[in-house]
Every structure is written in C-alpha cells, then in structure tokens.
Amino acid sequence: MNLARSFSNWRKYRQTVNELGRMSDRELSDLGIGRSDIPYVARQAVK
C-alpha cells in the first residue's frame, strides 16, 4: 500500500470516527451502532 493511499484511508477512518462520535446515543442506536462499535464501523468504511 503506498503512502498516499494509507493517508487517504487514515483520513477516511478519522472522519468517520469524528462524525459518529458527534452523534447522540439515540442517533447511533437508530443506526444499530453502539458507541463502542464506532472504531469497528470506521475500519469497515475504509475497506
């Protein structure tokens, strides 16, 4: 994996974590996501 792709994936991961982290527990629950699941969901978004 080249450096540019790695950086792009990291940015997408951080953006996803930040966006989900700003949501309320109720909003996350509506999506079927627990607060502890955020890192997992963010990693899946990068794949």
Side-chain angles (χ1 to χ4, degrees):
M1 191 180 279
N2 65 29
L3 185 59
R5 180 187 265 168
S6 293
F7 182 70
S8 175
N9 286 346
W10 176 80
R11 282 186 15 184
K12 186 185 292 187
Y13 171 83
R14 290 304 313 156
Q15 181 179 12
T16 304
V17 167
N18 288 337
E19 288 178 12
L20 291 174
R22 285 192 298 266
M23 293 179 139
S24 69
D25 288 337
R26 172 68 186 240
E27 291 170 318
L28 289 172
S29 178
D30 287 346
L31 296 173
I33 301 171
R35 193 154 296 280
S36 63
D37 297 328
I38 291 174
Y40 172 77
V41 171
R43 280 192 304 272
Q44 295 303 309
V46 173
K47 288 186 177 180

